Structures are given as C-alpha cells and as structure tokens.
Amino acid sequence: MSSPNVESIRATVHNAFSLAHLLDHIERTGGTVDADSYRKVVARLQEALSGDLPDAALTALLRTYPSAAEVYENMNYQTAG
C-alpha cells in the first residue's frame, strides 16, 4: 500500500478550501446563483470533506468557512453528540 504523495495531499486540501471559499462567497454576497449550480458546489464540497483531508487542514477549513462547517455538520449529524 503506497502513501499519498505531498502533491496529491496539497491538491486535495487546495480543492476543499477552494470549494469552501466559493460556497462562503455565494452565501455572503447573495449573488444570483441558480439552485442547480448551488447544489453542485455543495455536492463537490461534500465529496471533498469526505476525502482524506489531514486533520489540521479540516479543522482550519471548518474554522475559516462557516458555510463549510454547516455542510460538514449536516453530513455528520448522525454521529454528532
């Protein structure tokens, strides 16, 4: 079993932060985004949050982007205590 290389981890983290930033921007600005596009951004963010993000990166992302934190909380609602 091979371990992921640094570039792969960097790309995964960058993707998750980019999607979280985009969702936060959409929600903050209240711009005109159709429902389908909004759902696609949320779905891609959910995929990114379900991936192998390092714990420190996930913590930083959730503290920085409230919209992403809400998505993450909803994804883990069953196990939240």
Side-chain angles (χ1 to χ4, degrees), residues 1 19 28 31 43 57 62 68 70 77 81:
M1 176 178 211
L19 289 164
R28 248 193 357 254
L62 298 178
E70 188 174 342
Y77 181 75

Side-chain angles (χ1 to χ4, degrees), residues 9-27:
I9 294 168
R10 182 177 293 144
T12 299
V13 170
H14 183 307
N15 183 52
F17 270 82
S18 296
L19 289 164
H21 179 77
L22 177 59
L23 180 61
D24 217 52
H25 176 74
I26 290 169
E27 291 197 353

Side-chain angles (χ1 to χ4, degrees), residues 5 17 20-24 26 33-34 37 44 51 60 64 68 70 72 75 79 81:
N5 65 34
F17 270 82
H21 179 77
L22 177 59
L23 180 61
D24 217 52
I26 290 169
V33 175
D34 62 276
S37 295
R44 289 187 61 200
T64 304
E70 188 174 342
Y72 186 78
M75 290 171 58
T79 58

Side-chain angles (χ1 to χ4, degrees), residues 28-43:
R28 248 193 357 254
T29 61
T32 56
V33 175
D34 62 276
D36 189 49
S37 295
Y38 182 85
R39 281 191 294 270
K40 285 179 183 177
V41 170
V42 171

